[in-house]
Amino acid sequence: MKDIEFQAATYDEWKDVAIKSLKGKPFESLITKTIEGINLEPLYTQEMLVDKLGEDLEKQVSTIRSLKASNSIQAAQTIYGEDSKEFFEYLKDSVERGNECITIDSRVLEWNEEDLVQLASYLTEYSFKIIIQNNDKLLEVFDKINEQDREKVKGYVVSPEPVTLDAFPNVRTFASDTVPYHYEGAHAIQELAIALAQAAKYAEKSESFEAFANKYFVQFAIDTPFFQEIAKLRAFKVLWKAFTSAYGVEENIPVPIIAETSLRSFSKYDVYVNLLRAGNEAFAAVIGGVDVVTVHPHDVLTKPTDQSIRIARNVVLVLKEESYVADVLDPAGGSYFIESLTKDFVEGAWELFLEIQESGGIDAYESEKLMPAIEAVYNERLEKVKTRKQSLIGTNIYANPQDQLEKSTNPLYADLKRIAIPFEQLREQYHDAKPSIGILTFGKLKDFKPRADYVEGFFATAGVTVEQSGEIETIEQAKEWLEKVNYQYVVVATTDDQTKSLVPALLEGKKENVILDVAGRFKEEEQQWLSQGLNGFIYAGQDIVEKLSGLLESLKEVQR
């Protein structure tokens, strides 16, 4: 085995084999276009990377590796609590079990003097991240910290506008907070450009660039596209170097990168899939080089439990202690794919940043151009989920109809624009309507199973379990079955040829109070069947939410 050598294949040789394997499909079908408009190739080689970056490759890698703000990654557990007593019990338990950066959303409590004094003692001892609103009472906690302790206090304050804490030199308050834009739908290039534009806004208002840099940090939400999120974080460091150079700063100034796992793809149903999402996102954050990371519990959209909070905290601790990835300076460095994608993000974000600055800065650009562009991206995300061009496991595919209806909502995250929301609303609506739905499975099992399974999965997204008729082998039997059953809605599932023979016969004697659909797409027969009383079709690529919403209205008419 040691003496065996494999001949290296060129890209063109690999491409020829790939084309043969595609059996007539174009090679371009292997290229994936991201929501940022970047084409992801099916294969990346060293030659492709060198051709793309040239001498910039070494500069890109060295820049990323020289701008790590810390030598470790801090777990930043969010602290919850129904009241002050529970909050501080959770806080004490959290730091004892490995939480290294106390994370507090100010809305979690109605803060009083006693709470602030107690919290001040923790902020003196532990690093922290505080998320506040304008003129938030929680800011008064800094007044409760003894003057002799203020220089050693370390943390981050995330707020809509920077707060002034001159007596706390190690508390950073100039935040490029891209998280709100992330939840509006922004993609990676937009987030990166926004981070730079916000930094420019704060730098221009500061007395010096050094004073600004000493108080600055950036916060990102890390979504599920694994490699894109790694590249996003790495790209920020390259962009930051270009940004500081534009201000005449030659030395490297590392900036802390704060991250949290994104809730954009989270769902209230099949919540353990959220755990997989969060783990994937946290791993991308660690590989991408963040300094502080918050992992949201898998049931955070409703009410986190002791168990879910512990699991979320341990995700970071396990990544640090078991994978050793935090001990590597730049785990993704040198990857042909990720280095190439990093370069694409750098170029796209810098171009957008310059456009923002030329328009008068982030404040002038935001309402006129930025938010409409982000809304368009959000709508594109929704469209992909509704049509299953993007899979949302447990929501738009492989949904579990046995999940109990979940109406409770964590108020801290009630207003987030999550892409699972339309499906959650469908579940509520179908739960209230309680329609009776059946599938007329015609022919042998092999004839109807693929389409019957698809229909079952289609309705599972709305939390509905449908019943199958079993093997029906003649048209007369099918007509008799349809006449006897009490379903309000029936879908015909069989092969194309059998469907074309069966549907006209079923429509001739169909009861008026039965809605009939067909599984499959029959463009030639569509108009004729619709005119004869067919309701419609269920097929791959269809807008699931639109179809199920329209059907629900039809069912309501039948029930009246």
Side-chain angles (χ1 to χ4, degrees):
M1 290 293 291
K2 293 181 179 179
D3 297 329
I4 294 176
E5 293 185 3
F6 295 93
Q7 184 177 355
T10 66
Y11 179 83
D12 289 336
E13 290 173 333
W14 175 86
K15 183 176 179 179
D16 288 340
V17 173
I19 290 174
K20 292 177 182 177
S21 301
L22 289 170
K23 298 179 179 179
K25 290 184 180 180
F27 179 77
E28 288 72 24
S29 64
L30 298 178
I31 297 173
T32 303
K33 189 171 185 178
T34 72
I35 203 162
E36 293 87 4
I38 294 171
N39 289 327
L40 301 183
E41 300 290 338
L43 180 70
Y44 287 82
T45 66
Q46 184 179 20
E47 292 75 17
M48 292 168 64
L49 183 62
V50 172
D51 288 344
K52 186 172 187 174
L53 273 78
E55 296 180 355
D56 289 339
L57 176 58
E58 184 176 347
K59 294 179 182 178
Q60 177 169 291
V61 173
S62 62
T63 296
I64 291 169
R65 294 178 179 179
S66 63
L67 288 178
K68 189 76 168 69
S70 62
N71 295 323
S72 64
I73 297 169
Q74 288 186 311
Q77 182 75 54
T78 303
I79 312 300
Y80 301 97
E82 293 291 330
D83 51 38
S84 297
K85 182 177 182 296
E86 186 177 72
F87 175 87
F88 284 104
E89 286 176 353
Y90 280 143
L91 175 53
K92 181 177 183 295
D93 180 72
S94 179
V95 296
E96 289 176 351
R97 294 179 180 272
N99 190 17
E100 300 159 303
C101 182
I102 300 168
T103 300
I104 303 170
D105 188 315
S106 65
R107 297 171 296 173
V108 75
L109 286 181
E110 294 290 336
W111 299 94
N112 56 43
E113 290 297 308
E114 183 180 350
D115 294 338
L116 295 174
V117 171
Q118 189 173 355
L119 181 61
S121 64
Y122 280 95
L123 301 191
T124 304
E125 186 175 354
Y126 299 97
S127 177
F128 59 85
K129 180 180 76 173
I130 294 177
I131 305 166
I132 67 166
Q133 310 301 317
N134 288 322
N135 301 316
D136 201 296
K137 183 164 180 70
L138 182 56
L139 281 176
E140 295 178 16
V141 70
F142 294 102
D143 298 332
K144 314 301 179 185
I145 298 175
N146 295 329
E147 290 186 12
Q148 64 269 24
D149 295 329
R150 293 181 178 182
E151 285 194 8
K152 69 178 183 180
V153 174
K154 296 182 179 181
Y156 309 91
V157 177
V158 182
S159 61
E161 293 293 334
V163 298
T164 303
L165 293 173
D166 293 333
F168 297 83
N170 294 311
V171 177
R172 293 180 179 259
T173 58
F174 290 165
S176 280
D177 185 14
T178 66
V179 173
Y181 299 93
H182 174 89
Y183 285 119
E184 289 296 319
H187 56 55
I189 287 177
Q190 291 169 329
E191 290 179 36
L192 290 166
I194 289 166
L196 293 183
Q198 289 180 334
K201 171 184 173 181
Y202 300 146
E204 290 162 6
K205 292 181 178 180
S206 299
E207 58 186 34
S208 68
F209 191 85
E210 181 181 6
F212 153 73
N214 288 337
K215 287 284 189 177
Y216 177 71
F217 68 100
V218 63
Q219 178 171 245
F220 291 108
I222 308 302
D223 205 0
T224 52
F226 187 71
F227 298 106
Q228 286 96 311
E229 293 301 296
I230 294 172
K232 178 176 77 175
L233 294 168
R234 299 177 80 251
F236 176 77
K237 296 181 180 181
V238 180
L239 291 164
W240 174 249
K241 177 63 177 178
F243 180 84
T244 57
S245 298
Y247 281 86
V249 178
E250 296 301 325
E251 68 272 17
N252 291 326
I253 303 178
V255 56
I257 300 179
I258 314 301
E260 64 178 58
T261 53
S262 173
L263 303 179
R264 187 160 61 189
S265 299
F266 268 40
S267 173
K268 290 183 178 182
Y269 298 98
D270 211 348
V271 293
Y272 287 106
V273 181
N274 293 337
L275 177 57
L276 300 178
R277 295 183 179 111
N280 175 78
E281 293 164 358
F283 194 34
V286 173
I287 292 177
V290 302
D291 300 288
V292 179
V293 58
T294 298
V295 176
H296 290 296
H298 56 269
D299 54 2
V300 72
L301 297 177
T302 51
K303 185 179 180 181
T305 63
D306 291 348
Q307 182 190 48
S308 66
I309 291 171
R310 179 176 62 84
I311 292 173
R313 179 176 59 247
N314 286 345
V315 166
V316 183
L317 299 181
V318 168
L319 286 174
K320 288 179 58 177
E321 303 300 330
E322 302 293 339
S323 73
Y324 296 100
V325 68
D327 297 334
V328 182
L329 184 59
D330 179 22
S335 162
Y336 306 149
F337 173 33
I338 296 178
E339 293 290 4
S340 178
L341 189 55
T342 300
K343 177 68 171 178
D344 290 332
F345 281 175
V346 168
E347 292 179 346
W350 188 257
E351 181 181 352
L352 179 55
F353 166 62
L354 294 180
E355 181 181 331
I356 293 173
Q357 293 305 100
E358 290 169 1
S359 299
I362 185 69
D363 291 337
Y365 189 85
E366 182 169 326
S367 60
E368 182 178 348
K369 292 184 178 180
L370 181 60
M371 297 314 296
I374 290 176
E375 184 178 3
V377 176
Y378 172 73
N379 290 333
E380 183 179 347
R381 292 185 190 279
L382 272 184
E383 181 66 20
K384 287 184 175 181
V385 171
K386 290 177 180 179
T387 57
R388 284 184 174 170
K389 292 179 181 178
Q390 176 186 339
S391 295
L392 202 60
I393 305 299
T395 299
N396 72 345
I397 190 169
Y398 305 131
N400 181 7
Q402 304 305 321
D403 274 345
Q404 297 297 311
L405 185 68
E406 184 60 73
K407 291 188 176 182
S408 61
T409 300
N410 187 336
L412 298 183
Y413 309 107
D415 297 329
L416 298 185
K417 293 171 68 174
R418 296 179 293 108
I419 55 179
I421 288 176
F423 291 90
E424 293 171 1
Q425 292 172 339
L426 278 177
R427 280 191 176 245
E428 289 187 22
Q429 294 164 0
Y430 270 81
H431 178 270
D432 295 338
K434 294 180 173 58
S436 57
I437 298 174
I439 306 176
L440 196 166
T441 49
F442 190 80
K444 296 294 185 182
L445 180 65
K446 63 180 178 63
D447 297 326
F448 60 74
K449 188 177 189 324
R451 281 179 170 165
D453 288 348
Y454 182 83
V455 172
E456 282 191 344
F458 195 93
F459 280 94
T461 64
V464 176
T465 301
V466 296
E467 299 177 357
Q468 297 187 19
S469 66
E471 294 183 355
I472 296 178
E473 299 187 22
T474 68
I475 292 178
E476 288 303 317
Q477 289 175 344
K479 293 171 68 174
E480 183 179 349
W481 179 87
L482 189 61
E483 178 68 26
K484 288 182 177 180
V485 295
N486 294 319
Y487 296 119
Q488 298 166 311
Y489 172 76
V490 174
V491 184
V492 176
T494 185
T495 63
D496 281 358
D497 290 340
Q498 289 175 329
T499 300
K500 292 175 183 178
S501 301
L502 177 62
V503 169
L506 293 178
L507 292 174
E508 286 180 4
K510 181 183 74 68
K511 294 183 292 186
E512 291 186 5
N513 62 342
V514 175
I515 300 172
L516 189 66
D517 267 359
V518 169
R521 193 76 189 268
F522 298 84
K523 293 184 178 180
E524 293 183 3
E525 293 79 12
E526 179 177 351
Q527 292 304 319
Q528 180 181 351
W529 289 355
L530 292 175
S531 66
Q532 293 174 346
L534 186 71
N535 178 71
F537 304 85
I538 291 179
Y539 52 89
Q542 188 174 26
D543 186 321
I544 298 174
V545 175
E546 182 180 29
K547 172 64 178 180
L548 291 179
S549 297
L551 174 60
L552 194 61
E553 292 302 315
S554 299
L555 287 168
K556 289 178 181 177
E557 290 295 327
V558 171
Q559 290 172 345
R560 292 193 188 107

